[in-house]
Amino acid sequence: QVQLVESGGGLVQAGGSLRLSCAASGRTFSGYAMGWFRQAPGKEREFVGAIVWAAPYYADSVKGRFTISRDNAKNTVYLQMNSLKPEDTAVYYCAAGPRPTGNGRDYGYWGQGTQVTVSS
């Protein structure tokens, strides 16, 4: 079992930045691929990015603005979000799974989510 807890969400103006954290507990964190997803009201869940050992990769919608990193010593993965846009408004979730894919079904463990609201 892996427990995931996101934090760091909030309200920010367009063009601003936020850093989300996802703290993991339970089984060995370093062995999991970690993904970030988001879901806006009335929309389907959307892949944001993922990381395992190699370089992270991102959805086109956030590439160049968002950065994923992980600190295995702290059992934490981060999502640094810069140049935020109103369309980035969503609940952001971290997830753990065996492979760093863009498909949410490949992740077996999910956090509760943290709200990010970007005002125009």
PDB file of all heavy atoms in Angstrom, residues 9-18 81 83-86 88-89 115-120:
ATOM      1  N   GLY A   9      -1.816  23.557  -3.062  1.00  0.00           N
ATOM      2  CA  GLY A   9      -2.763  24.226  -3.942  1.00  0.00           C
ATOM      3  C   GLY A   9      -3.220  25.549  -3.361  1.00  0.00           C
ATOM      4  O   GLY A   9      -2.925  25.892  -2.212  1.00  0.00           O
ATOM      5  N   GLY A  10      -3.939  26.304  -4.169  1.00  0.00           N
ATOM      6  CA  GLY A  10      -4.442  27.582  -3.702  1.00  0.00           C
ATOM      7  C   GLY A  10      -4.909  28.447  -4.848  1.00  0.00           C
ATOM      8  O   GLY A  10      -5.099  27.975  -5.974  1.00  0.00           O
ATOM      9  N   LEU A  11      -5.091  29.719  -4.536  1.00  0.00           N
ATOM     10  CA  LEU A  11      -5.539  30.705  -5.520  1.00  0.00           C
ATOM     11  C   LEU A  11      -4.368  31.559  -5.944  1.00  0.00           C
ATOM     12  O   LEU A  11      -3.625  32.077  -5.088  1.00  0.00           O
ATOM     13  CB  LEU A  11      -6.631  31.576  -4.901  1.00  0.00           C
ATOM     14  CG  LEU A  11      -7.125  32.756  -5.728  1.00  0.00           C
ATOM     15  CD1 LEU A  11      -7.797  32.275  -7.002  1.00  0.00           C
ATOM     16  CD2 LEU A  11      -8.077  33.612  -4.892  1.00  0.00           C
ATOM     17  N   VAL A  12      -4.184  31.717  -7.229  1.00  0.00           N
ATOM     18  CA  VAL A  12      -3.076  32.503  -7.756  1.00  0.00           C
ATOM     19  C   VAL A  12      -3.556  33.259  -8.985  1.00  0.00           C
ATOM     20  O   VAL A  12      -4.466  32.803  -9.696  1.00  0.00           O
ATOM     21  CB  VAL A  12      -1.874  31.587  -8.083  1.00  0.00           C
ATOM     22  CG1 VAL A  12      -2.226  30.604  -9.185  1.00  0.00           C
ATOM     23  CG2 VAL A  12      -0.638  32.382  -8.436  1.00  0.00           C
ATOM     24  N   GLN A  13      -2.960  34.399  -9.232  1.00  0.00           N
ATOM     25  CA  GLN A  13      -3.299  35.158 -10.426  1.00  0.00           C
ATOM     26  C   GLN A  13      -2.627  34.571 -11.655  1.00  0.00           C
ATOM     27  O   GLN A  13      -1.562  33.930 -11.545  1.00  0.00           O
ATOM     28  CB  GLN A  13      -2.879  36.618 -10.256  1.00  0.00           C
ATOM     29  CG  GLN A  13      -3.744  37.399  -9.261  1.00  0.00           C
ATOM     30  CD  GLN A  13      -3.428  38.875  -9.263  1.00  0.00           C
ATOM     31  OE1 GLN A  13      -2.308  39.268  -9.568  1.00  0.00           O
ATOM     32  NE2 GLN A  13      -4.402  39.697  -8.917  1.00  0.00           N
ATOM     33  N   ALA A  14      -3.220  34.818 -12.800  1.00  0.00           N
ATOM     34  CA  ALA A  14      -2.618  34.375 -14.053  1.00  0.00           C
ATOM     35  C   ALA A  14      -1.197  34.920 -14.157  1.00  0.00           C
ATOM     36  O   ALA A  14      -0.928  36.078 -13.816  1.00  0.00           O
ATOM     37  CB  ALA A  14      -3.455  34.843 -15.231  1.00  0.00           C
ATOM     38  N   GLY A  15      -0.301  34.059 -14.616  1.00  0.00           N
ATOM     39  CA  GLY A  15       1.102  34.413 -14.703  1.00  0.00           C
ATOM     40  C   GLY A  15       1.908  34.056 -13.472  1.00  0.00           C
ATOM     41  O   GLY A  15       3.140  34.109 -13.493  1.00  0.00           O
ATOM     42  N   GLY A  16       1.218  33.688 -12.415  1.00  0.00           N
ATOM     43  CA  GLY A  16       1.891  33.347 -11.168  1.00  0.00           C
ATOM     44  C   GLY A  16       2.366  31.915 -11.131  1.00  0.00           C
ATOM     45  O   GLY A  16       2.272  31.174 -12.120  1.00  0.00           O
ATOM     46  N   SER A  17       2.871  31.511  -9.963  1.00  0.00           N
ATOM     47  CA  SER A  17       3.445  30.185  -9.791  1.00  0.00           C
ATOM     48  C   SER A  17       2.916  29.530  -8.527  1.00  0.00           C
ATOM     49  O   SER A  17       2.548  30.208  -7.558  1.00  0.00           O
ATOM     50  CB  SER A  17       4.978  30.285  -9.695  1.00  0.00           C
ATOM     51  OG  SER A  17       5.536  30.812 -10.868  1.00  0.00           O
ATOM     52  N   LEU A  18       2.907  28.230  -8.548  1.00  0.00           N
ATOM     53  CA  LEU A  18       2.611  27.426  -7.380  1.00  0.00           C
ATOM     54  C   LEU A  18       3.482  26.183  -7.445  1.00  0.00           C
ATOM     55  O   LEU A  18       3.834  25.725  -8.536  1.00  0.00           O
ATOM     56  CB  LEU A  18       1.149  26.989  -7.341  1.00  0.00           C
ATOM     57  CG  LEU A  18       0.080  27.966  -6.841  1.00  0.00           C
ATOM     58  CD1 LEU A  18      -1.302  27.350  -7.012  1.00  0.00           C
ATOM     59  CD2 LEU A  18       0.321  28.367  -5.400  1.00  0.00           C
ATOM     60  N   MET A  81       4.691  24.764 -10.980  1.00  0.00           N
ATOM     61  CA  MET A  81       3.837  25.305 -12.032  1.00  0.00           C
ATOM     62  C   MET A  81       4.119  26.801 -12.176  1.00  0.00           C
ATOM     63  O   MET A  81       3.905  27.559 -11.228  1.00  0.00           O
ATOM     64  CB  MET A  81       2.360  25.070 -11.696  1.00  0.00           C
ATOM     65  CG  MET A  81       2.031  23.617 -11.426  1.00  0.00           C
ATOM     66  SD  MET A  81       0.274  23.319 -11.147  1.00  0.00           S
ATOM     67  CE  MET A  81       0.042  24.206  -9.604  1.00  0.00           C
ATOM     68  N   SER A  83       3.948  30.371 -14.897  1.00  0.00           N
ATOM     69  CA  SER A  83       3.159  30.991 -15.972  1.00  0.00           C
ATOM     70  C   SER A  83       1.756  30.407 -16.019  1.00  0.00           C
ATOM     71  O   SER A  83       1.260  30.024 -17.085  1.00  0.00           O
ATOM     72  CB  SER A  83       3.868  30.794 -17.324  1.00  0.00           C
ATOM     73  OG  SER A  83       5.156  31.350 -17.289  1.00  0.00           O
ATOM     74  N   LEU A  84       1.132  30.345 -14.874  1.00  0.00           N
ATOM     75  CA  LEU A  84      -0.179  29.718 -14.788  1.00  0.00           C
ATOM     76  C   LEU A  84      -1.228  30.495 -15.560  1.00  0.00           C
ATOM     77  O   LEU A  84      -1.187  31.737 -15.644  1.00  0.00           O
ATOM     78  CB  LEU A  84      -0.596  29.578 -13.323  1.00  0.00           C
ATOM     79  CG  LEU A  84       0.082  28.423 -12.585  1.00  0.00           C
ATOM     80  CD1 LEU A  84       0.000  28.594 -11.088  1.00  0.00           C
ATOM     81  CD2 LEU A  84      -0.518  27.101 -13.015  1.00  0.00           C
ATOM     82  N   LYS A  85      -2.165  29.748 -16.111  1.00  0.00           N
ATOM     83  CA  LYS A  85      -3.252  30.307 -16.907  1.00  0.00           C
ATOM     84  C   LYS A  85      -4.586  29.921 -16.262  1.00  0.00           C
ATOM     85  O   LYS A  85      -4.670  28.904 -15.569  1.00  0.00           O
ATOM     86  CB  LYS A  85      -3.197  29.735 -18.327  1.00  0.00           C
ATOM     87  CG  LYS A  85      -1.874  29.923 -19.032  1.00  0.00           C
ATOM     88  CD  LYS A  85      -1.876  29.217 -20.372  1.00  0.00           C
ATOM     89  CE  LYS A  85      -0.547  29.336 -21.087  1.00  0.00           C
ATOM     90  NZ  LYS A  85      -0.557  28.629 -22.391  1.00  0.00           N
ATOM     91  N   PRO A  86      -5.623  30.674 -16.525  1.00  0.00           N
ATOM     92  CA  PRO A  86      -6.939  30.308 -15.966  1.00  0.00           C
ATOM     93  C   PRO A  86      -7.354  28.893 -16.344  1.00  0.00           C
ATOM     94  O   PRO A  86      -8.016  28.215 -15.547  1.00  0.00           O
ATOM     95  CB  PRO A  86      -7.865  31.361 -16.564  1.00  0.00           C
ATOM     96  CG  PRO A  86      -6.991  32.555 -16.755  1.00  0.00           C
ATOM     97  CD  PRO A  86      -5.669  31.998 -17.170  1.00  0.00           C
ATOM     98  N   ASP A  88      -5.624  26.369 -16.352  1.00  0.00           N
ATOM     99  CA  ASP A  88      -4.947  25.405 -15.483  1.00  0.00           C
ATOM    100  C   ASP A  88      -5.757  25.131 -14.216  1.00  0.00           C
ATOM    101  O   ASP A  88      -5.386  24.252 -13.427  1.00  0.00           O
ATOM    102  CB  ASP A  88      -3.566  25.908 -15.078  1.00  0.00           C
ATOM    103  CG  ASP A  88      -2.609  26.013 -16.242  1.00  0.00           C
ATOM    104  OD1 ASP A  88      -2.599  25.092 -17.093  1.00  0.00           O
ATOM    105  OD2 ASP A  88      -1.865  27.010 -16.316  1.00  0.00           O
ATOM    106  N   THR A  89      -6.833  25.869 -14.023  1.00  0.00           N
ATOM    107  CA  THR A  89      -7.678  25.666 -12.852  1.00  0.00           C
ATOM    108  C   THR A  89      -8.247  24.256 -12.838  1.00  0.00           C
ATOM    109  O   THR A  89      -8.863  23.816 -13.810  1.00  0.00           O
ATOM    110  CB  THR A  89      -8.818  26.689 -12.826  1.00  0.00           C
ATOM    111  OG1 THR A  89      -8.265  28.002 -12.666  1.00  0.00           O
ATOM    112  CG2 THR A  89      -9.781  26.410 -11.685  1.00  0.00           C
ATOM    113  N   GLN A 115      -6.793  21.639  -4.745  1.00  0.00           N
ATOM    114  CA  GLN A 115      -7.404  22.578  -5.688  1.00  0.00           C
ATOM    115  C   GLN A 115      -6.428  23.676  -6.084  1.00  0.00           C
ATOM    116  O   GLN A 115      -5.785  24.295  -5.217  1.00  0.00           O
ATOM    117  CB  GLN A 115      -8.646  23.225  -5.047  1.00  0.00           C
ATOM    118  CG  GLN A 115      -9.309  24.292  -5.903  1.00  0.00           C
ATOM    119  CD  GLN A 115     -10.003  23.713  -7.125  1.00  0.00           C
ATOM    120  OE1 GLN A 115     -10.733  22.730  -7.025  1.00  0.00           O
ATOM    121  NE2 GLN A 115      -9.788  24.332  -8.289  1.00  0.00           N
ATOM    122  N   VAL A 116      -6.344  23.915  -7.366  1.00  0.00           N
ATOM    123  CA  VAL A 116      -5.579  25.038  -7.909  1.00  0.00           C
ATOM    124  C   VAL A 116      -6.546  25.916  -8.686  1.00  0.00           C
ATOM    125  O   VAL A 116      -7.238  25.433  -9.583  1.00  0.00           O
ATOM    126  CB  VAL A 116      -4.440  24.556  -8.820  1.00  0.00           C
ATOM    127  CG1 VAL A 116      -3.795  25.744  -9.532  1.00  0.00           C
ATOM    128  CG2 VAL A 116      -3.407  23.785  -8.026  1.00  0.00           C
ATOM    129  N   THR A 117      -6.597  27.180  -8.313  1.00  0.00           N
ATOM    130  CA  THR A 117      -7.471  28.126  -8.998  1.00  0.00           C
ATOM    131  C   THR A 117      -6.641  29.289  -9.495  1.00  0.00           C
ATOM    132  O   THR A 117      -5.916  29.914  -8.718  1.00  0.00           O
ATOM    133  CB  THR A 117      -8.571  28.638  -8.058  1.00  0.00           C
ATOM    134  OG1 THR A 117      -9.328  27.517  -7.560  1.00  0.00           O
ATOM    135  CG2 THR A 117      -9.511  29.578  -8.789  1.00  0.00           C
ATOM    136  N   VAL A 118      -6.731  29.549 -10.795  1.00  0.00           N
ATOM    137  CA  VAL A 118      -5.970  30.626 -11.410  1.00  0.00           C
ATOM    138  C   VAL A 118      -6.951  31.684 -11.878  1.00  0.00           C
ATOM    139  O   VAL A 118      -7.810  31.419 -12.721  1.00  0.00           O
ATOM    140  CB  VAL A 118      -5.125  30.116 -12.585  1.00  0.00           C
ATOM    141  CG1 VAL A 118      -4.267  31.251 -13.145  1.00  0.00           C
ATOM    142  CG2 VAL A 118      -4.253  28.944 -12.159  1.00  0.00           C
ATOM    143  N   SER A 119      -6.835  32.866 -11.321  1.00  0.00           N
ATOM    144  CA  SER A 119      -7.737  33.945 -11.677  1.00  0.00           C
ATOM    145  C   SER A 119      -7.153  34.781 -12.807  1.00  0.00           C
ATOM    146  O   SER A 119      -5.934  34.937 -12.926  1.00  0.00           O
ATOM    147  CB  SER A 119      -8.001  34.831 -10.460  1.00  0.00           C
ATOM    148  OG  SER A 119      -6.805  35.447 -10.024  1.00  0.00           O
ATOM    149  N   SER A 120      -8.037  35.324 -13.629  1.00  0.00           N
ATOM    150  CA  SER A 120      -7.585  36.114 -14.785  1.00  0.00           C
ATOM    151  C   SER A 120      -7.449  37.584 -14.422  1.00  0.00           C
ATOM    152  O   SER A 120      -7.833  38.029 -13.360  1.00  0.00           O
ATOM    153  CB  SER A 120      -8.578  35.957 -15.927  1.00  0.00           C
ATOM    154  OG  SER A 120      -9.862  36.330 -15.524  1.00  0.00           O
TER     155      SER A 120
END
